[in-house]
Amino acid sequence: MSPPIEEFIKFLGPRGKLRVRWGGKSAGAKEAHALRQLAPELQARSVPEVLALLRSKSEWVFEELTQGQAKELGQRATALGLEVSTEFPDAQ
């Protein structure tokens, strides 16, 4: 018998957010291309579609990540020239 899902989620550790920003400027093709590499929900969209979506935003938020997931995704975002910050309210 497997453990209840609540125990498994607790085992994974605190869940938090990774905020990806593009430096206070309007998102351009470079930022759209970078985010399409990071966010699965943007990969199926064209660059013009992603640009239209991002022009109304100053950041993209990945939610419900483990600390390991946030670290790996943050490293990839930084390598693509984006700024990152994390929020883990339940971390100790």
Side-chain angles (χ1 to χ4, degrees), residues 5-53:
I5 190 71
E6 294 84 13
E7 286 183 34
F8 180 70
I9 291 170
K10 188 175 180 180
F11 170 78
L12 292 175
R15 309 289 276 185
K17 297 178 183 179
L18 174 76
R19 296 181 180 277
V20 177
R21 297 184 185 92
W22 33 93
K25 60 183 176 180
S26 183
K30 175 184 172 190
E31 291 79 18
H33 179 69
L35 277 171
R36 285 179 75 226
Q37 292 181 52
L38 300 170
E41 63 270 29
L42 299 179
Q43 291 172 0
R45 296 181 179 205
S46 68
V47 171
E49 285 179 296
V50 174
L51 274 170
L53 176 66

Short mmCIF file of all heavy atoms in Angstrom, two decimals, residues 5-53:
data_model
loop_
_atom_site.label_atom_id
_atom_site.label_comp_id
_atom_site.label_asym_id
_atom_site.label_seq_id
_atom_site.Cartn_x
_atom_site.Cartn_y
_atom_site.Cartn_z
N ILE A 5 -1.35 10.69 -0.31
CA ILE A 5 -0.75 11.75 -1.12
C ILE A 5 -0.24 12.90 -0.24
O ILE A 5 0.79 13.51 -0.55
CB ILE A 5 -1.75 12.26 -2.19
CG1 ILE A 5 -1.05 13.19 -3.19
CG2 ILE A 5 -2.93 12.97 -1.56
CD1 ILE A 5 -0.11 12.52 -4.11
N GLU A 6 -0.91 13.20 0.84
CA GLU A 6 -0.47 14.29 1.73
C GLU A 6 0.92 14.00 2.30
O GLU A 6 1.75 14.89 2.42
CB GLU A 6 -1.47 14.51 2.87
CG GLU A 6 -2.83 15.02 2.43
CD GLU A 6 -3.76 13.90 1.97
OE1 GLU A 6 -3.48 12.70 2.22
OE2 GLU A 6 -4.77 14.24 1.33
N GLU A 7 1.16 12.73 2.66
CA GLU A 7 2.47 12.36 3.19
C GLU A 7 3.54 12.45 2.12
O GLU A 7 4.66 12.89 2.38
CB GLU A 7 2.42 10.94 3.76
CG GLU A 7 1.70 10.84 5.08
CD GLU A 7 1.74 9.42 5.64
OE1 GLU A 7 2.75 8.72 5.43
OE2 GLU A 7 0.74 9.04 6.27
N PHE A 8 3.21 12.06 0.91
CA PHE A 8 4.16 12.13 -0.19
C PHE A 8 4.52 13.59 -0.49
O PHE A 8 5.68 13.93 -0.66
CB PHE A 8 3.60 11.45 -1.44
CG PHE A 8 4.54 11.51 -2.61
CD1 PHE A 8 5.71 10.77 -2.62
CD2 PHE A 8 4.26 12.32 -3.70
CE1 PHE A 8 6.59 10.83 -3.69
CE2 PHE A 8 5.12 12.39 -4.78
CZ PHE A 8 6.30 11.65 -4.77
N ILE A 9 3.52 14.46 -0.53
CA ILE A 9 3.77 15.88 -0.77
C ILE A 9 4.63 16.47 0.33
O ILE A 9 5.56 17.23 0.07
CB ILE A 9 2.44 16.64 -0.93
CG1 ILE A 9 1.75 16.22 -2.23
CG2 ILE A 9 2.64 18.15 -0.88
CD1 ILE A 9 0.34 16.71 -2.40
N LYS A 10 4.36 16.10 1.57
CA LYS A 10 5.17 16.59 2.70
C LYS A 10 6.61 16.08 2.57
O LYS A 10 7.56 16.82 2.84
CB LYS A 10 4.55 16.13 4.02
CG LYS A 10 5.21 16.73 5.23
CD LYS A 10 4.48 16.33 6.50
CE LYS A 10 5.16 16.97 7.70
NZ LYS A 10 4.49 16.61 8.95
N PHE A 11 6.78 14.85 2.12
CA PHE A 11 8.11 14.28 1.91
C PHE A 11 8.91 15.08 0.89
O PHE A 11 10.12 15.24 1.01
CB PHE A 11 7.97 12.83 1.46
CG PHE A 11 9.25 12.21 0.99
CD1 PHE A 11 10.20 11.77 1.89
CD2 PHE A 11 9.52 12.08 -0.36
CE1 PHE A 11 11.39 11.20 1.46
CE2 PHE A 11 10.70 11.51 -0.81
CZ PHE A 11 11.64 11.08 0.11
N LEU A 12 8.24 15.61 -0.14
CA LEU A 12 8.92 16.39 -1.18
C LEU A 12 9.44 17.72 -0.66
O LEU A 12 10.33 18.31 -1.25
CB LEU A 12 7.98 16.65 -2.36
CG LEU A 12 7.60 15.44 -3.18
CD1 LEU A 12 6.57 15.84 -4.23
CD2 LEU A 12 8.82 14.81 -3.83
N GLY A 13 8.90 18.19 0.44
CA GLY A 13 9.35 19.44 1.02
C GLY A 13 8.43 20.59 0.68
O GLY A 13 7.42 20.42 -0.01
N PRO A 14 8.79 21.76 1.17
CA PRO A 14 7.93 22.92 0.95
C PRO A 14 7.75 23.22 -0.53
O PRO A 14 8.63 22.96 -1.34
CB PRO A 14 8.69 24.07 1.62
CG PRO A 14 9.81 23.46 2.36
CD PRO A 14 10.00 22.07 1.89
N ARG A 15 6.61 23.77 -0.85
CA ARG A 15 6.31 24.17 -2.21
C ARG A 15 6.32 25.69 -2.27
O ARG A 15 5.91 26.36 -1.33
CB ARG A 15 4.92 23.67 -2.64
CG ARG A 15 4.69 22.19 -2.38
CD ARG A 15 5.46 21.30 -3.27
NE ARG A 15 4.73 21.15 -4.52
CZ ARG A 15 5.11 20.33 -5.48
NH1 ARG A 15 6.19 19.62 -5.33
NH2 ARG A 15 4.44 20.23 -6.59
N GLY A 16 6.80 26.22 -3.37
CA GLY A 16 6.87 27.67 -3.49
C GLY A 16 6.80 28.12 -4.92
O GLY A 16 6.40 27.37 -5.81
N LYS A 17 7.21 29.38 -5.12
CA LYS A 17 7.13 30.01 -6.43
C LYS A 17 8.52 30.41 -6.91
O LYS A 17 9.39 30.74 -6.12
CB LYS A 17 6.29 31.28 -6.35
CG LYS A 17 4.87 31.07 -5.96
CD LYS A 17 4.14 32.40 -5.87
CE LYS A 17 2.71 32.16 -5.40
NZ LYS A 17 1.98 33.42 -5.26
N LEU A 18 8.66 30.43 -8.20
CA LEU A 18 9.84 31.00 -8.86
C LEU A 18 9.32 32.11 -9.75
O LEU A 18 8.47 31.87 -10.61
CB LEU A 18 10.58 29.95 -9.69
CG LEU A 18 11.73 30.50 -10.53
CD1 LEU A 18 12.94 30.79 -9.64
CD2 LEU A 18 12.10 29.55 -11.63
N ARG A 19 9.79 33.32 -9.52
CA ARG A 19 9.41 34.46 -10.34
C ARG A 19 10.54 34.74 -11.33
O ARG A 19 11.69 34.86 -10.93
CB ARG A 19 9.15 35.69 -9.49
CG ARG A 19 7.97 35.53 -8.56
CD ARG A 19 7.72 36.79 -7.74
NE ARG A 19 6.60 36.59 -6.86
CZ ARG A 19 5.33 36.73 -7.22
NH1 ARG A 19 5.04 37.09 -8.44
NH2 ARG A 19 4.35 36.52 -6.36
N VAL A 20 10.19 34.83 -12.59
CA VAL A 20 11.15 35.11 -13.65
C VAL A 20 10.81 36.49 -14.21
O VAL A 20 9.68 36.74 -14.61
CB VAL A 20 11.08 34.04 -14.77
CG1 VAL A 20 12.04 34.37 -15.89
CG2 VAL A 20 11.38 32.66 -14.20
N ARG A 21 11.81 37.39 -14.20
CA ARG A 21 11.59 38.77 -14.66
C ARG A 21 12.55 39.10 -15.78
O ARG A 21 13.59 38.47 -15.93
CB ARG A 21 11.80 39.74 -13.51
CG ARG A 21 10.82 39.55 -12.39
CD ARG A 21 11.02 40.60 -11.29
NE ARG A 21 10.15 40.33 -10.17
CZ ARG A 21 10.48 39.59 -9.12
NH1 ARG A 21 11.68 39.07 -9.04
NH2 ARG A 21 9.63 39.37 -8.17
N TRP A 22 12.22 40.14 -16.52
CA TRP A 22 13.08 40.55 -17.63
C TRP A 22 13.53 41.99 -17.49
O TRP A 22 13.60 42.76 -18.42
CB TRP A 22 12.42 40.32 -18.99
CG TRP A 22 10.93 40.49 -19.01
CD1 TRP A 22 10.22 41.62 -19.30
CD2 TRP A 22 9.97 39.49 -18.71
NE1 TRP A 22 8.88 41.39 -19.21
CE2 TRP A 22 8.69 40.08 -18.85
CE3 TRP A 22 10.04 38.16 -18.33
CZ2 TRP A 22 7.51 39.37 -18.63
CZ3 TRP A 22 8.88 37.46 -18.12
CH2 TRP A 22 7.64 38.06 -18.27
N GLY A 23 13.87 42.39 -16.26
CA GLY A 23 14.57 43.64 -16.01
C GLY A 23 13.80 44.93 -16.17
O GLY A 23 14.36 45.93 -16.58
N GLY A 24 12.52 44.96 -15.85
CA GLY A 24 11.77 46.19 -15.84
C GLY A 24 11.46 46.78 -17.21
O GLY A 24 10.91 47.85 -17.32
N LYS A 25 11.85 46.09 -18.24
CA LYS A 25 11.54 46.56 -19.59
C LYS A 25 10.43 45.70 -20.17
O LYS A 25 10.07 44.68 -19.62
CB LYS A 25 12.78 46.48 -20.48
CG LYS A 25 13.33 45.07 -20.60
CD LYS A 25 14.59 45.01 -21.41
CE LYS A 25 15.06 43.55 -21.37
NZ LYS A 25 16.24 43.30 -22.07
N SER A 26 9.89 46.15 -21.28
CA SER A 26 8.88 45.36 -21.97
C SER A 26 9.54 44.11 -22.55
O SER A 26 10.65 44.17 -23.07
CB SER A 26 8.25 46.20 -23.08
OG SER A 26 7.24 45.49 -23.72
N ALA A 27 8.85 42.99 -22.45
CA ALA A 27 9.40 41.74 -22.98
C ALA A 27 9.54 41.84 -24.50
O ALA A 27 8.67 42.34 -25.19
CB ALA A 27 8.50 40.58 -22.62
N GLY A 28 10.67 41.35 -24.98
CA GLY A 28 10.93 41.32 -26.41
C GLY A 28 11.07 39.89 -26.90
O GLY A 28 10.78 38.93 -26.18
N ALA A 29 11.53 39.75 -28.12
CA ALA A 29 11.68 38.43 -28.72
C ALA A 29 12.63 37.55 -27.92
O ALA A 29 12.40 36.35 -27.77
CB ALA A 29 12.15 38.56 -30.16
N LYS A 30 13.71 38.14 -27.37
CA LYS A 30 14.67 37.36 -26.58
C LYS A 30 14.00 36.75 -25.35
O LYS A 30 14.17 35.57 -25.06
CB LYS A 30 15.83 38.27 -26.15
CG LYS A 30 16.82 37.59 -25.24
CD LYS A 30 17.89 38.55 -24.76
CE LYS A 30 18.74 37.89 -23.70
NZ LYS A 30 19.62 38.82 -23.03
N GLU A 31 13.21 37.55 -24.65
CA GLU A 31 12.53 37.07 -23.45
C GLU A 31 11.46 36.04 -23.82
O GLU A 31 11.30 35.03 -23.12
CB GLU A 31 11.91 38.24 -22.68
CG GLU A 31 12.93 39.16 -22.04
CD GLU A 31 13.59 40.15 -22.99
OE1 GLU A 31 13.06 40.39 -24.10
OE2 GLU A 31 14.65 40.69 -22.64
N ALA A 32 10.74 36.29 -24.90
CA ALA A 32 9.71 35.34 -25.34
C ALA A 32 10.34 33.99 -25.69
O ALA A 32 9.83 32.94 -25.30
CB ALA A 32 8.94 35.91 -26.53
N HIS A 33 11.45 34.04 -26.40
CA HIS A 33 12.14 32.80 -26.78
C HIS A 33 12.63 32.06 -25.52
O HIS A 33 12.46 30.84 -25.41
CB HIS A 33 13.32 33.12 -27.70
CG HIS A 33 14.10 31.91 -28.11
ND1 HIS A 33 13.59 30.94 -28.95
CD2 HIS A 33 15.34 31.50 -27.76
CE1 HIS A 33 14.50 29.99 -29.10
NE2 HIS A 33 15.57 30.31 -28.38
N ALA A 34 13.20 32.80 -24.58
CA ALA A 34 13.70 32.18 -23.35
C ALA A 34 12.56 31.54 -22.56
O ALA A 34 12.68 30.39 -22.11
CB ALA A 34 14.44 33.21 -22.50
N LEU A 35 11.47 32.26 -22.39
CA LEU A 35 10.35 31.70 -21.62
C LEU A 35 9.71 30.51 -22.31
O LEU A 35 9.23 29.60 -21.65
CB LEU A 35 9.31 32.78 -21.34
CG LEU A 35 9.63 33.64 -20.13
CD1 LEU A 35 8.69 34.82 -20.03
CD2 LEU A 35 9.58 32.81 -18.86
N ARG A 36 9.70 30.52 -23.63
CA ARG A 36 9.15 29.36 -24.35
C ARG A 36 9.98 28.11 -24.06
O ARG A 36 9.45 26.99 -24.09
CB ARG A 36 9.10 29.63 -25.85
CG ARG A 36 7.96 30.58 -26.22
CD ARG A 36 7.91 30.88 -27.70
NE ARG A 36 7.36 29.72 -28.39
CZ ARG A 36 7.89 29.21 -29.50
NH1 ARG A 36 8.96 29.73 -30.05
NH2 ARG A 36 7.35 28.16 -30.07
N GLN A 37 11.26 28.28 -23.76
CA GLN A 37 12.10 27.13 -23.41
C GLN A 37 11.83 26.63 -22.00
O GLN A 37 12.10 25.47 -21.69
CB GLN A 37 13.58 27.50 -23.53
CG GLN A 37 14.02 27.77 -24.95
CD GLN A 37 15.49 28.12 -25.01
OE1 GLN A 37 16.32 27.40 -24.48
NE2 GLN A 37 15.80 29.24 -25.64
N LEU A 38 11.32 27.50 -21.13
CA LEU A 38 11.14 27.16 -19.73
C LEU A 38 9.71 26.74 -19.37
O LEU A 38 9.52 25.92 -18.49
CB LEU A 38 11.51 28.36 -18.85
CG LEU A 38 12.95 28.87 -18.97
CD1 LEU A 38 13.10 30.19 -18.23
CD2 LEU A 38 13.92 27.82 -18.44
N ALA A 39 8.73 27.33 -20.02
CA ALA A 39 7.33 27.11 -19.64
C ALA A 39 6.62 26.23 -20.67
O ALA A 39 6.36 26.68 -21.79
CB ALA A 39 6.61 28.46 -19.52
N PRO A 40 6.30 25.01 -20.31
CA PRO A 40 5.64 24.11 -21.26
C PRO A 40 4.37 24.70 -21.88
O PRO A 40 4.08 24.47 -23.05
CB PRO A 40 5.32 22.87 -20.42
CG PRO A 40 6.27 22.92 -19.29
CD PRO A 40 6.53 24.37 -19.03
N GLU A 41 3.62 25.48 -21.10
CA GLU A 41 2.38 26.04 -21.63
C GLU A 41 2.60 27.09 -22.71
O GLU A 41 1.68 27.45 -23.44
CB GLU A 41 1.50 26.61 -20.51
CG GLU A 41 2.11 27.76 -19.74
CD GLU A 41 2.94 27.35 -18.53
OE1 GLU A 41 3.51 26.25 -18.50
OE2 GLU A 41 3.01 28.16 -17.60
N LEU A 42 3.84 27.59 -22.84
CA LEU A 42 4.16 28.56 -23.88
C LEU A 42 4.79 27.93 -25.11
O LEU A 42 4.87 28.55 -26.16
CB LEU A 42 5.10 29.64 -23.33
CG LEU A 42 4.56 30.49 -22.18
CD1 LEU A 42 5.60 31.49 -21.72
CD2 LEU A 42 3.27 31.18 -22.57
N GLN A 43 5.25 26.71 -25.00
CA GLN A 43 5.97 26.06 -26.09
C GLN A 43 5.11 25.84 -27.33
O GLN A 43 5.60 25.89 -28.45
CB GLN A 43 6.58 24.74 -25.62
CG GLN A 43 7.71 24.97 -24.64
CD GLN A 43 8.21 23.69 -24.00
OE1 GLN A 43 7.73 22.60 -24.28
NE2 GLN A 43 9.19 23.83 -23.12
N ALA A 44 3.83 25.61 -27.13
CA ALA A 44 2.95 25.35 -28.28
C ALA A 44 2.49 26.65 -28.96
O ALA A 44 1.90 26.61 -30.02
CB ALA A 44 1.73 24.56 -27.83
N ARG A 45 2.79 27.78 -28.35
CA ARG A 45 2.38 29.06 -28.90
C ARG A 45 3.49 29.65 -29.77
O ARG A 45 4.66 29.40 -29.54
CB ARG A 45 2.05 30.05 -27.79
CG ARG A 45 0.87 29.62 -26.95
CD ARG A 45 0.58 30.65 -25.90
NE ARG A 45 -0.55 30.27 -25.09
CZ ARG A 45 -1.30 31.15 -24.45
NH1 ARG A 45 -1.02 32.44 -24.51
NH2 ARG A 45 -2.32 30.74 -23.73
N SER A 46 3.10 30.46 -30.71
CA SER A 46 4.08 31.12 -31.57
C SER A 46 4.73 32.27 -30.80
O SER A 46 4.19 32.76 -29.80
CB SER A 46 3.40 31.67 -32.82
OG SER A 46 2.54 32.74 -32.47
N VAL A 47 5.87 32.73 -31.30
CA VAL A 47 6.56 33.85 -30.66
C VAL A 47 5.66 35.09 -30.62
O VAL A 47 5.57 35.75 -29.57
CB VAL A 47 7.92 34.14 -31.33
CG1 VAL A 47 8.53 35.43 -30.81
CG2 VAL A 47 8.88 32.97 -31.11
N PRO A 48 4.96 35.45 -31.72
CA PRO A 48 4.06 36.61 -31.63
C PRO A 48 2.97 36.46 -30.56
O PRO A 48 2.65 37.42 -29.86
CB PRO A 48 3.45 36.71 -33.03
CG PRO A 48 4.47 36.09 -33.92
CD PRO A 48 5.06 34.97 -33.12
N GLU A 49 2.44 35.26 -30.40
CA GLU A 49 1.43 35.02 -29.36
C GLU A 49 2.03 35.22 -27.97
O GLU A 49 1.42 35.83 -27.10
CB GLU A 49 0.87 33.61 -29.45
CG GLU A 49 -0.10 33.37 -30.58
CD GLU A 49 -0.57 31.93 -30.58
OE1 GLU A 49 0.25 31.02 -30.79
OE2 GLU A 49 -1.79 31.73 -30.38
N VAL A 50 3.22 34.67 -27.77
CA VAL A 50 3.89 34.79 -26.47
C VAL A 50 4.22 36.26 -26.20
O VAL A 50 4.03 36.75 -25.09
CB VAL A 50 5.15 33.89 -26.40
CG1 VAL A 50 5.92 34.13 -25.12
CG2 VAL A 50 4.75 32.43 -26.52
N LEU A 51 4.72 36.96 -27.21
CA LEU A 51 5.01 38.39 -27.04
C LEU A 51 3.77 39.16 -26.63
O LEU A 51 3.84 40.00 -25.73
CB LEU A 51 5.58 38.98 -28.33
CG LEU A 51 7.07 38.85 -28.52
CD1 LEU A 51 7.45 39.26 -29.95
CD2 LEU A 51 7.82 39.67 -27.51
N ALA A 52 2.66 38.90 -27.28
CA ALA A 52 1.41 39.59 -26.93
C ALA A 52 1.02 39.31 -25.48
O ALA A 52 0.59 40.22 -24.76
CB ALA A 52 0.30 39.17 -27.89
N LEU A 53 1.17 38.09 -25.04
CA LEU A 53 0.86 37.72 -23.67
C LEU A 53 1.81 38.40 -22.68
O LEU A 53 1.38 38.92 -21.65
CB LEU A 53 0.94 36.19 -23.51
CG LEU A 53 0.74 35.64 -22.11
CD1 LEU A 53 -0.69 35.89 -21.63
CD2 LEU A 53 1.04 34.16 -22.08
#
